[in-house]
Amino acid sequence: MYAPKGLELHTFSGTDVTVIAAPWYNLVLSGQHLVYDNNISYIVINTTKESVVTATTSELILATLFSPVNIITLILLALAISWLVNLRFQNNHEKYALKMLNTKAIELLNSLNLASESGTSKHTQLEQLQFNFQTLTTHITNYTRESEVSIYQDKLTHLIDRHAYIEHLAKQLRLAEMDKFSCALLFIDLDGFKQVNDSFGHSFGDDVLIQVATRLSSVLRHHKISNISPISQLEQNLARLGGDEFSIFINLKDDKDKALEVAQNVLHEIERDFVLGNKLIKISASIGIAVYPDSASTPQALLQMADVAMYRAKTDGRGIFKVYSPEMGKKIRRYHYLLEEMRLAIASSSFHMSFQPIVHVDDCAIDYFEALVRWDHPVEGSITPDEFIPIAEESNLILELGDWIMLESCRQMSAWYNAGMKKVAISVNISGVQLKHYDIYEWVMEKLAKTGLPAKALMLEITESTLIKASNKIIQSLEKLRGEGITIAIDDFGTGFSSLSTLADLPIDVIKLDKLFVGQANDNLKYNEIMHSISELGSKLGLKVVAEGVEELAQFELVKSMGINSVQGYLVSHPESSVNVGHKVLQDNINFMSVTGTGVWNIQQPLK
C-alpha cells in the first residue's frame, strides 16, 4: 500500500461502507474508487475483506500534487510549454522577418531591373530569399568588375592604365620584399609613332596602338607571365602608361634572364609589319629595363629608372633595349638640372647671340651670317648648344628660346642692313618642334614686321631629317615664305635618310653639306666622290651648295675645285659677337660695302 508521508488514513469496516467507482466525468479521480461518509469523500487506498483503508480526497490530492516529484514534473511541464510557446512565436517572427527581407530584396532587385523570386512562387520564403540573394550577389560582383574596368582600363587598348598599374606594382614589390626575390620592369616606347600620326592621321595611330597592345599581350602569354585580376579579369602585368608608352612587369623568382628574353621578343613583335587598311606600316620600339631592388625600390622610382634606360636606348640608336645603370641616373640628373637652369636663363635673358660668316670661295665676300645662340652659365661657364639645344627641344623650351633668337637675329640684321649690307642675309636655325607648334609662315612674317627686316635678308636653316618628315601643311608654309623672298636651306645634308631625288620636291634654295664630308674628302675617295656628286646635283637643280666645317686651307682649296659656292668654318672665322662683326665689316669695308652691298671677311690663313 502506498500513501504519501504525513497523510492521515481512515479505516472503515468492510461491512459498514459501500465502495463505488468515481464518476466518468471526474477527470481528476478517474480510475479511483471512493467511499462517502457524512458527505465527505474518501479515496480508497487499500481494501481487504475486513476493512477499507482510505484517505480524504482533498488531502490525498493536495499531498500528491505537492510531492517533490510532481512539483518537479509540473515545473518541467511548465518550462516545456513555455519553450513550445516561445518556439512557435520565434517561428512566426522568423517567417515574418523572412517575408520582410524578401519584400525588401524584391524591391531592390526591381529597382535594378533584375529578375526576382516573388511571394507567389511555390518555393518557401527561405528558398525565395536564397534565390534573390544569389541574384543580388551576382549583380554586385558584375557591377564591381565593370566599375574596376571602367575606372582602371585604358579605353583605347583595353589594358590597365598607369594608376592601376602602379597599385599592382606596389603589391608585387611588397611580395618581392617579403620573399626576397627580384623582379623587373620594361618601359616600352614606340619609335616612329609620331610620324605615323602626322602622315596618316590619329585614327591610324590608334589602330597601331591597339595592335601593339594585342602583340604585347601575346608576348605575356608566350612567356607565361600573365597575372589576371580575379575581379576585373584584366591583365595586371601589362599597362599602357599613356601616349605610345607601355610597360610590362616580370617576376624574376624562377629565371633571372627572363626580362632580357621578354624584351627581345617585344622588339621582334613590334618590328613586324602593321597592316592598316591597304597600307603596311613599319615602326620599332626602344625599351628600358629597371630591376628591383638593384635599380629602385618603389613603383614610381622603378618606372622612372626604366624610363631613363629607355631614353638611353633611343639615344644609342633605337630599336634596342638597355638595362638601367647608375651612370644613366647621373645623365638624367644633369638633364633636369640644365632644364631648370635654362628656365632661369630665359627668364633673366642670360643667352646671347654670336654670328659666323659664310663667304664666297672666289673673293671671300660675305654671303650671309649664321645666327648662333650661346649660353654662359654663371657657375659652369660656357655650355655648348650640343648639350642644351636637345634639352630645349625635348621640353618645348625651344619655343620660348626660339622666339627670342628669331627676334634678336632679325633685329641685328636689320641694323646691319640699314648700315649698308643690302646683299647679306641672316640665317636662323628652325627646329622641328617650332615647325610643329607654329604656323611658321605667320610666325616668321610677324618677326620681320616687328624688326623691319626685308624678307630677302632672312634665311631659315632646317635639318635634313626634320625637313624630310615635314607634313604637307609645313611644306606649303615654307613655299609661301619662299614666295615672300625668304631663303630656305637644308642643314647637315648627307647625315639623314633622304634620297637625292627628294631634293627636287623640297622647298629649298641652299644645301649645306655636313662637315663630315669636308673632313674626310681629302683622305677618303668615297667622300670625295659624294661631294662631287652633290655639287653637280646642286648646280643642275639651281641650288647653292655651302660646305660646312672648313678648318684647313687644303679643305678650302678642295671645296673650291669642286665648284662649291660658299664655305663656313673656323678657317674663315669663329662665331663672333655683333660688336666684332661691326668692327670687321662696317669699319674696314665701308667703301666696298656701299658699292657691293656686302663686305669682305679676311680669312685667318692666307690663300695660295
Side-chain angles (χ1 to χ4, degrees), residues 200-463:
F200 303 106
H202 287 282
S203 61
F204 272 76
D206 289 347
D207 286 342
V208 169
L209 294 176
I210 293 170
Q211 291 188 40
V212 167
T214 301
R215 295 185 187 187
L216 294 180
S217 298
S218 70
V219 170
L220 263 65
R221 291 191 297 271
H222 174 73
H223 289 277
K224 299 179 180 179
I225 55 176
S226 290
N227 188 328
I228 305 298
S229 168
I231 298 176
S232 66
Q233 298 299 305
L234 295 176
E235 173 60 63
Q236 299 179 103
N237 282 348
L238 170 62
R240 181 190 178 202
L241 302 178
D244 59 342
E245 296 174 342
F246 297 82
S247 183
I248 294 175
F249 175 81
I250 305 170
N251 185 319
L252 302 180
K253 182 185 291 186
D254 300 323
D255 187 353
K256 299 294 184 182
D257 296 326
K258 176 70 75 174
L260 305 183
E261 297 173 9
V262 173
Q264 193 62 54
N265 195 186
V266 168
L267 292 177
H268 175 73
E269 285 295 315
I270 302 301
E271 287 171 358
R272 290 194 295 110
D273 291 346
F274 288 85
V275 180
L276 301 174
N278 59 351
K279 293 180 173 57
L280 290 180
I281 307 297
K282 283 186 175 292
I283 60 174
S284 61
S286 296
I287 302 176
I289 304 174
V291 178
Y292 170 89
D294 300 341
S295 303
S297 58
T298 66
Q300 291 84 354
L302 204 60
L303 273 172
Q304 184 181 10
M305 298 307 103
D307 191 12
V308 170
M310 183 274 294
Y311 272 106
R312 172 56 66 88
K314 281 190 178 293
T315 303
D316 290 354
R318 303 191 173 198
I320 58 176
F321 65 83
K322 290 288 182 179
V323 180
Y324 174 81
S325 66
E327 178 271 331
M328 296 179 187
K330 293 178 182 178
K331 184 174 181 181
I332 197 67
R333 287 192 291 273
R334 173 72 174 173
Y335 173 93
H336 287 293
Y337 166 72
L338 289 181
L339 179 60
E340 291 306 313
E341 291 296 298
M342 199 182 311
R343 294 186 199 278
L344 296 174
I346 292 174
S348 60
S349 302
S350 297
F351 291 95
H352 67 273
M353 299 302 299
S354 291
F355 304 91
Q356 188 173 30
I358 289 82
V359 301
H360 292 284
V361 294
D362 294 328
D363 54 7
C364 290
I366 300 169
D367 189 358
Y368 64 92
F369 289 97
E370 181 175 358
L372 300 167
V373 64
R374 293 292 183 261
W375 183 12
D376 291 327
H377 191 274
V379 176
E380 298 200 12
S382 178
I383 299 177
T384 66
D386 288 344
E387 185 173 18
F388 72 78
I389 289 296
I391 297 175
E393 290 183 329
E394 288 183 22
S395 63
N396 284 346
L397 280 179
I398 194 65
L399 299 175
E400 189 174 353
L401 180 60
D403 271 346
W404 178 83
I405 292 172
M406 178 61 77
L407 194 62
E408 185 66 14
S409 301
C410 291
R411 185 197 63 76
Q412 182 61 68
M413 189 62 229
S414 181
W416 289 337
Y417 185 88
N418 293 331
M421 283 195 274
K422 306 292 185 181
K423 292 186 179 180
V424 177
I426 190 77
S427 173
V428 181
N429 291 282
I430 304 296
S431 78
V433 177
Q434 291 170 295
L435 290 175
K436 180 179 178 180
H437 284 80
Y438 289 146
D439 181 327
I440 196 68
Y441 176 83
E442 297 292 341
W443 182 69
V444 170
M445 296 307 294
E446 176 194 358
K447 298 297 185 291
L448 293 179
K450 186 174 290 187
T451 58
L453 181 68
K456 67 178 182 178
L458 177 63
M459 177 189 294
L460 303 181
E461 290 193 21
I462 305 171
T463 61

Side-chain angles (χ1 to χ4, degrees), residues 167-187:
E167 285 188 0
H168 175 64
L169 292 182
K171 296 176 184 177
Q172 295 302 310
L173 295 189
R174 284 195 294 270
L175 292 175
E177 182 181 12
M178 288 188 295
D179 295 343
K180 306 300 181 186
F181 63 85
S182 299
C183 46
L185 200 69
L186 271 59
F187 195 108

Side-chain angles (χ1 to χ4, degrees), residues 157-173:
T157 62
H158 296 167
L159 302 178
I160 61 172
D161 62 11
R162 188 186 192 96
H163 178 73
Y165 188 57
I166 289 177
E167 285 188 0
H168 175 64
L169 292 182
K171 296 176 184 177
Q172 295 302 310
L173 295 189

Side-chain angles (χ1 to χ4, degrees), residues 83-118:
W83 177 77
L84 290 172
V85 171
N86 187 58
L87 182 62
R88 180 62 180 270
F89 177 79
Q90 286 183 350
N91 285 339
N92 291 336
H93 181 72
E94 288 177 358
K95 287 182 179 179
Y96 179 77
L98 281 174
K99 183 177 180 181
M100 294 304 298
L101 285 174
N102 262 329
T103 301
K104 294 294 184 182
I106 291 169
E107 290 176 358
L108 182 57
L109 292 173
N110 290 338
S111 68
L112 297 173
N113 294 321
L114 299 174
S116 63
E117 187 78 3
S118 66

